Amino acid sequence: MIEAIYKRRSIRHFLQKAIPAEDLEEILKAGCWAPSEKNQQPWKFIVIRGDERKAMVKKLKEGIQKNREGAENAMFGKEYAKFIPSAIYTARVLEQAPVIVFVINTKGISYRKNLSIPEHMMEISDIESVAAAIQNMCLEATARNIGSLWTCNVFFAYDELKEWLGIEGEMAAAIAFGYTDKEIRPMPRKPLDQVVEYRGDYPAEWMGK
Ligand SMILES: Cc1cc2nc3c(=O)[nH]c(=O)nc-3n(C[C@H](O)[C@H](O)[C@H](O)COP(=O)(O)O)c2cc1C
């Protein structure tokens, strides 16, 4: 599994090849074994395959188009216009992925609602729990030589997709899964000394024990 952490890449090119049901089930099971706040497991996984993918991508493209036109009910304002090409690219990737798993935060609260402080904190905890499930699935896929792409560009069509999915709760992400024949170079990571800050040290008597 540790190997999978370093081997995983975001895959944006998928072969038109089915993922065996047993592999998919193990991936979904890995999601269920993520830690979660008070073990509430605030997730649901909706597996999209076949023609359902086309219907889903159609909704996504509609949402992106609204943002492109600067429609009043678009999710993102003009200052996010620079992200539209990336959203279009993501839609293309999702179109050719054999499996797309929508990850739902079942306890999620609508962005339309103003959250109280405790609601806000709980929302963060739930999102963290769901994110752990997503990463578990991506790692399990990697261990099975199955590529994955964690996508939040689906938010460009948040309302459209939420309605299409007909879900309770909120959409957390969509993950594309499939095989690839492309070697992807790792994206650079910040060096440890830029992201880690040590404070304090062990008592001397603990050392060498
Ligand atoms: C929360 C989240 C949302 C992401 N959304 C997208 C997306 O919509 N489209 C996409 O192509 N990649 C998306 N990515 C993938 C990132 O671009 C990728 O993880 C990052 O560039 C590092 O590359 P690596 O995953 O290959 O290590 C997302 C990743 C995360 C964690």
Side-chain angles (χ1 to χ4, degrees), residues 56 60 90 94 102 151-158 161 171-174:
M56 185 282 286
L60 176 53
T90 299
L94 292 175
F102 272 86
T151 70
C152 284
N153 275 334
V154 287
F155 292 168
F156 275 86
Y158 195 91
L161 287 171
M171 203 164 69

Side-chain angles (χ1 to χ4, degrees), residues 13 15 179-183:
H13 174 269
L15 299 173
Y179 297 96
T180 191
D181 56 2
K182 291 248 187 311
E183 274 279 317

Side-chain angles (χ1 to χ4, degrees), residues 142-153:
T142 306
R144 289 170 184 274
N145 284 320
I146 295 168
S148 61
L149 182 67
W150 179 337
T151 70
C152 284
N153 275 334

Side-chain angles (χ1 to χ4, degrees), residues 69-122:
E69 290 162 359
E72 214 173 281
N73 60 349
M75 289 305 299
F76 296 94
K78 279 201 182 70
E79 62 277 31
Y80 290 89
K82 61 178 181 289
F83 297 123
I84 289 177
S86 141
I88 293 169
Y89 184 40
T90 299
R92 288 202 188 115
V93 175
L94 292 175
E95 211 160 24
Q96 38 122 341
V99 175
I100 300 148
V101 174
F102 272 86
V103 182
I104 312 305
N105 173 4
T106 53
K107 290 178 62 213
I109 302 171
S110 168
Y111 65 82
R112 289 193 173 88
K113 199 175 166 230
N114 283 325
L115 301 187
S116 66
I117 294 170
E119 279 174 335
H120 185 77
M121 299 304 170
M122 294 311 287

Side-chain angles (χ1 to χ4, degrees), residues 159-172:
D159 289 343
E160 290 83 353
L161 287 171
K162 200 183 153 191
E163 194 194 347
W164 181 76
L165 289 161
I167 50 162
E168 296 289 325
E170 297 299 310
M171 203 164 69

